[in-house]
Amino acid sequence: MFRTALRTVLAHKARLLMTVLAVMLGVAFVSGTLVFTDTLGNAFEKQSSKSYQDVAVGVTAYDTRDSGDTDAAKAAPGVAQETVGKIEGLDGVASVTGRVNGFAGVADPDGKLIGDGWSNTGSNFAPGRNGKDVAYSFTDGAGPTKDGEIALDKTTATKGKYTVGEPIRVATNGPVKEYTLTGVFTTDDGQVNAGGSLVLFDTAVAQKLYLEPGFYSDLTITAAAGASESRILDQVKPLLPKNAEAKTGGQLATEQADQIERGLSGLNQILLAAAAVALFVGIFLISNTFTMLVAQRTRELALLRAVGASRRQVKRSVLAEAAVVGVIASTIGFLFGLGLAIALRSLMGVTGAKIPAGALVVSPTAVGAAFGVGVLITLLAAWLPARRAAKIPPVAAMNSVHGVATTKSLVVRNSIGGALALLGSAMIVAGAAAGSDGRILIGGGAFLTMIGVIVLIPLLSRPVIALIRPLLRGAFGVSGKLAGLNAVRNPRRTGATASALAIGLTLVTGLTVIGVTVGQAVDRMTTDNIKADYMVTMAAAGDLDESVLTALEKAPGVSAVSPQQLAALEIKGDYHSASAVTPGDIEKVINIASVSGSLDTLAQGEIAVAEDTARSNGWKVGDTVQVTFSDKKTGELKIGATYKKNEFLSPVLMSTELASAHEATPYIPEVWVKMDGGASAANEQALVDSLGKNPAITMMDQQDIRNEFGGFINTALNIMYGLLAMALVIAILGVVNTLAMSVFERQQEIGMLRAIGLDRAKVKRMIRLEAIVISLFGAVIGVGLGSFLAWAAGQTIKDQVPGYALVIPWDRIGIFLVLAGLVGVLAALWPARSAAKLNMLTAIKTE
């Protein structure tokens, strides 16, 4: 029987090739993902171990002066130089290197920021007794030794086309300043490898910029030969301030390795989820293929039963075929997976991310998962066809090769599918009614509903396709009529083929509806609340210096300026976040709907409170509240106004004058600017010039703001579309397979049709229309189910998304349906050509 199985595999190479492709794609994605993340993790872990191999103890100090806590505010900003001297004198300590870190943005020759802002850092050059800093290898020049000098990492210097001796404009949190480049270096710094930039200052300059003179935020302690890390750690801890912690180099390396693993696990899960969807879709194709093969071999299998083969042997022979196909597909898929892992690694390098050097890591887990998943999925999908094959009675050898499924055989299937769909739908509706607490219920309901709909699709195919049959007949005549009849001739096969497309489009439609709905809510939130022409922010989401506000107020063409200065008030033991704004100007840049009182009272030292906050605390205009400011001083403030909640403002408003009186350093994340004449290139340039062409400061008009808040949604959608594309490719293979089998089964019929006058063009049209009907049927099911799931999922997030209102993007759904039809046309190319080329006399004689 095993030899029979092997001969069968070789006899149906073309048909089984599509099964191999389906399994291969899924296995390639699984193995490629595992190899890629293992390789990446191993490379970063080795880099991490290398970074800490000479570190005995690492010390990190936290600047707590702006935390609002009185005791923390009195703490030192870091580790003092005096403490560093004491550590250097400890037994077993070879050296101590102090670092300070902060934001530093480098301008290119056009004045634009090099890097993305989040990973643009500044630090200090800390040479040892030999004049070299062990953390950096200089390829040109040397490190900075005084104010006005800097060194740059090689990548940033190359991007800016800078050479040693050139002047370079660098921005920190204050005004932009010009420095002379003294050296270019290479480094294993993670921020630089992630595509950022690193600027080295002289230590005294860096301390003045980021902390205070004589203090460090990090210490690296190396040990003398034979010294114990744990003993050094025990000696160091008592010398440190309360806001600092120390760990051994081994502990730091382990922590970083864990962080790398956690970071890669998210990517791993997303890619594996996409692979799981593709494999799930592939099950339908594989099952369809083996169902077709069993149908073709009805007489052959019946003869085997007649000459003594048992049901178990027949079943095993079909499963043996599946196992052979699974092993072949898994082998090819695993090899493609290795190529995919290499390609992903290269792609990250092309996009600017620096991946540490390292060999490709092929773990036993990746190999086992590839072959285990490939063979298991193939066997699982082939089990039902194998079971049907075992039930073929010997007497079937006397009958026609092709068995026809009856409506009666679908009764049990339809009952089960209906029950699953109803139960799943009820769970989804219940989860939607529960709001944010119903997400798990919706997830379980979605799974049951999808399975139920898949089971019911053969039943649904008849009435749904019957609705469009008159259109086909009217538009395409005989070809259209025959295509409609053929599409429902074998409901199981049509259902399995349509299911593959339905699954993919359910996910695509659901993601699209949610993405578009949230995107439009964010867009409305921006346009409804913002009057300002520009929002001025700092790169890396840092805070703006007060000098920025002063410069903007003096810029030509500015009619109103207000910062969004963050503050906090403690009232009756509860902390309330506050926005410090410019009275009189805030209403010109932000749309604030006053409910009672007047916002003009902000200029008189009073506060305004959001309507819902005032209601929940029982406050009203005219009330006086006892408050504690961030500097722990207390006072009484009068409520001068209440206003409707605004997503761009905190629940409490106060004047910048009032807030700054209690803040040592005001925290200003953004400034809103209104210009005469609105947003224009000239007005934007005036603002840029007023800020000294600072590369680290960003000007965003209203469209930029909308893109900033909603851009990540479109990015996420595009990524998910790319991941789900593989599932749709497998679905296309399923349509090809179904049509090919349909042509095979109807050879005699097609021959008769050709004999009575149906020409080759009409035969091709009939096959193409059949493919389009099946594809559109699956697409309509997927779009409907996806929209339903999107509605339910939206109910769980609407409270977190202001202005949420379900939006059905009919334009995109229309595109999905057109693409589904195009899928049908492409999938029908080969089967239609095969059908048209059939010799009519040979086809008529076919049994």
Side-chain angles (χ1 to χ4, degrees):
M1 294 301 291
F2 183 70
R3 287 197 299 270
T4 301
L6 286 177
R7 283 199 303 270
T8 304
V9 169
L10 295 175
H12 299 90
K13 294 185 287 291
R15 188 112 344 102
L16 288 170
L17 176 62
M18 283 178 279
T19 300
V20 169
L21 285 173
V23 179
M24 182 199 75
L25 288 172
V27 169
F29 219 87
V30 171
S31 58
T33 295
L34 293 175
V35 171
F36 172 65
T37 52
D38 286 346
T39 300
L40 223 59
N42 182 67
F44 279 117
E45 284 176 20
K46 283 186 177 179
Q47 184 188 62
S48 174
S49 298
K50 182 181 177 182
S51 300
Y52 290 107
Q53 66 181 0
D54 296 325
V55 178
V57 174
V59 176
T60 301
Y62 302 96
D63 189 354
T64 58
R65 292 172 297 172
D66 295 328
S67 66
D69 184 273
T70 304
D71 294 332
K74 295 178 181 177
V79 181
Q81 181 63 50
E82 180 184 357
T83 304
V84 174
K86 292 178 181 179
I87 295 174
E88 288 176 329
L90 295 175
D91 184 33
V93 172
S95 65
V96 181
T97 303
R99 303 282 184 195
V100 288
N101 303 286
F103 170 79
V106 180
D108 65 14
D110 295 327
K112 303 295 184 181
L113 182 68
I114 298 176
D116 57 13
W118 293 98
S119 50
N120 296 122
T121 55
S123 188
N124 61 305
F125 176 65
R129 294 185 182 91
N130 60 359
K132 296 182 178 180
D133 190 326
V134 294
Y136 312 107
S137 299
F138 279 81
T139 59
D140 192 14
T145 57
K146 62 182 179 180
D147 193 4
E149 294 181 344
I150 60 165
L152 277 183
D153 69 273
K154 188 175 181 179
T155 302
T156 303
T158 302
K159 288 179 180 178
K161 299 179 181 179
Y162 291 126
T163 57
V164 171
E166 280 192 90
I168 299 177
R169 298 171 72 249
V170 179
T172 54
N173 284 352
V176 66
K177 185 178 177 181
E178 194 171 90
Y179 297 83
T180 300
L181 182 63
T182 63
V184 177
F185 58 87
T186 59
T187 177
D188 291 329
D189 185 276
Q191 296 285 71
V192 175
N193 288 334
S197 63
L198 178 60
V199 181
L200 295 182
F201 300 91
D202 175 63
T203 296
V205 175
Q207 287 175 332
K208 185 177 179 181
L209 282 172
Y210 301 126
L211 284 179
E212 285 184 6
F215 287 91
Y216 299 94
S217 54
D218 298 282
L219 300 181
T220 300
I221 303 169
T222 59
S228 167
E229 287 186 354
S230 58
R231 187 168 181 273
I232 294 174
L233 179 66
D234 292 339
Q235 295 179 83
V236 168
K237 281 184 175 180
L239 300 177
L240 299 176
K242 292 181 179 180
N243 58 329
E245 62 176 356
K247 295 179 181 178
T248 64
Q251 290 173 329
L252 293 171
T254 301
E255 285 183 1
Q256 190 169 83
D258 291 340
Q259 289 175 357
I260 291 169
E261 185 177 349
R262 286 195 297 271
L264 290 175
S265 67
L267 174 64
N268 208 11
Q269 290 169 6
I270 291 171
L271 294 176
L272 288 177
V277 172
L279 287 168
F280 185 59
V281 171
I283 287 176
F284 295 95
L285 190 156
I286 300 164
S287 180
N288 239 2
T289 300
F290 280 94
T291 298
M292 295 172 190
L293 293 175
V294 167
Q296 290 179 31
R297 294 163 50 212
T298 302
R299 175 171 289 183
E300 175 191 329
L301 294 172
L303 284 171
L304 288 173
R305 292 277 286 115
V307 298
S310 66
R311 286 187 174 186
R312 183 173 297 179
Q313 285 178 312
V314 171
K315 184 176 179 180
R316 284 178 179 174
S317 73
V318 177
L319 291 177
E321 294 174 37
V324 171
V325 172
V327 170
I328 294 172
S330 298
T331 303
I332 299 172
F334 182 73
L335 295 176
F336 270 91
L338 295 180
L340 178 63
I342 295 170
L344 286 172
R345 184 171 175 175
S346 301
L347 180 62
M348 291 188 71
V350 170
T351 56
K354 291 186 178 179
I355 308 300
L360 202 66
V361 177
V362 183
S363 66
T365 302
V367 177
F371 283 88
V373 166
V375 175
L376 182 64
I377 287 293
T378 311
L379 288 174
L380 179 65
W383 183 79
L384 277 177
R387 186 169 175 270
R388 292 193 197 106
K391 289 183 176 182
I392 295 173
V395 73
M398 310 296 295
N399 298 330
S400 172
V401 176
H402 315 302
V404 180
T406 63
T407 305
K408 184 177 179 181
S409 67
L410 298 173
V411 172
V412 175
R413 173 186 180 131
N414 294 338
S415 300
I416 294 172
L420 289 174
L422 285 173
L423 177 60
S425 299
M427 290 174 64
I428 292 171
V429 172
S436 58
D437 296 327
R439 290 169 186 168
I440 295 177
L441 199 60
I442 290 175
F447 178 76
L448 291 178
T449 303
M450 193 173 292
I451 297 297
V453 169
I454 289 169
V455 173
L456 285 172
I457 276 183
L459 176 66
L460 296 173
S461 64
R462 290 183 181 276
V464 173
I465 295 176
L467 291 175
I468 62 171
R469 201 180 299 161
L471 298 176
L472 292 173
R473 185 170 58 248
F476 302 100
V478 174
S479 297
K481 180 180 180 179
L482 291 172
L485 291 171
N486 292 334
V488 293
R489 174 174 293 189
N490 192 322
R492 279 200 182 98
R493 189 179 305 146
T494 298
T497 306
S499 294
L501 278 170
I503 292 167
L505 280 172
T506 294
L507 297 173
V508 169
T509 302
L511 289 169
T512 300
V513 172
I514 287 289
V516 170
T517 299
V518 173
Q520 290 198 14
V522 171
D523 193 62
R524 284 194 302 272
M525 180 180 69
T526 304
T527 54
D528 291 348
N529 290 307
I530 298 175
K531 292 182 178 179
D533 297 312
Y534 294 100
M535 180 175 74
V536 181
T537 59
M538 191 73 176
D543 59 311
L544 295 162
D545 190 79
E546 285 182 286
S547 60
V548 170
L549 183 60
T550 304
L552 289 172
E553 289 172 340
K554 296 178 179 178
V558 171
S559 58
V561 176
S562 179
Q564 162 80 292
Q565 181 178 323
L566 299 186
L569 297 174
E570 182 184 348
I571 306 174
K572 293 182 179 180
D574 294 327
Y575 280 93
H576 297 271
S577 61
S579 293
V581 298
T582 303
D585 279 6
I586 185 62
E587 300 100 314
K588 298 176 183 177
V589 294
I590 298 292
N591 189 14
I592 307 177
S594 181
V595 176
S596 59
S598 173
L599 292 172
D600 293 339
T601 57
L602 292 174
Q604 302 165 18
E606 298 180 5
I607 60 174
V609 183
E611 183 182 25
D612 54 349
T613 301
R615 188 186 305 112
S616 62
N617 287 277
W619 299 334
K620 61 182 184 298
V621 172
D623 287 351
T624 300
V625 292
Q626 187 74 24
V627 303
T628 302
F629 296 96
S630 57
D631 60 358
K632 299 303 178 182
K633 293 181 180 179
T634 60
E636 288 187 347
L637 293 177
K638 185 178 180 181
I639 299 175
T642 59
Y643 58 93
K644 288 185 178 180
K645 182 180 178 181
N646 188 297
E647 299 303 323
F648 289 88
L649 296 171
S650 300
V652 178
L653 294 182
M654 65 172 69
S655 68
T656 52
E657 183 180 358
L658 176 61
S660 298
H662 300 278
E663 300 280 349
T665 305
Y667 185 81
I668 307 174
E670 61 206 29
V671 177
W672 302 93
V673 183
K674 186 73 174 175
M675 303 286 291
D676 294 330
S680 67
N683 279 338
E684 182 175 341
Q685 190 60 49
L687 297 180
V688 170
D689 292 342
S690 71
L691 297 173
K693 298 181 179 178
N694 191 323
I697 295 180
T698 304
M699 304 285 171
M700 290 191 287
D701 59 23
Q702 289 200 13
Q703 185 58 52
D704 293 331
I705 296 169
R706 288 197 291 270
N707 294 340
E708 178 76 11
F709 285 101
F712 73 95
I713 298 172
N714 289 328
T715 301
L717 279 177
N718 290 334
I719 291 172
M720 294 309 299
Y721 288 161
L723 294 176
L724 291 172
M726 185 172 58
L728 295 176
V729 169
I730 294 174
I732 293 171
L733 293 176
V735 179
V736 174
N737 221 8
T738 296
L739 293 174
M741 183 57 191
S742 179
V743 170
F744 173 82
E745 288 182 347
R746 304 202 312 267
Q747 288 185 61
Q748 189 178 59
E749 175 188 316
I750 292 171
M752 292 293 293
L753 290 172
R754 292 275 289 113
I756 62 175
L758 195 68
D759 59 28
R760 290 184 175 182
K762 289 181 180 178
V763 170
K764 287 183 179 180
R765 187 182 304 152
M766 175 184 70
I767 302 298
R768 291 195 194 104
L769 289 173
E770 183 180 345
I772 293 171
V773 167
I774 293 173
S775 299
L776 287 176
F777 171 59
V780 169
I781 296 292
V783 166
L785 186 54
S787 299
F788 176 54
L789 292 176
W791 164 79
Q795 296 303 300
T796 68
I797 64 171
K798 67 178 184 179
D799 291 337
Q800 288 80 45
V801 181
Y804 181 93
L806 185 68
V807 176
I808 303 296
W810 297 110
D811 54 342
R812 297 197 188 190
I813 287 176
I815 292 173
F816 296 158
L817 294 176
V818 169
L819 289 176
L822 182 61
V823 163
V825 172
L826 294 176
L829 289 177
W830 172 51
R833 186 168 177 269
S834 299
K837 289 176 66 178
L838 284 175
N839 182 287
M840 67 179 72
L841 293 179
T842 303
I844 289 171
K845 291 188 294 182
T846 301
E847 295 187 17

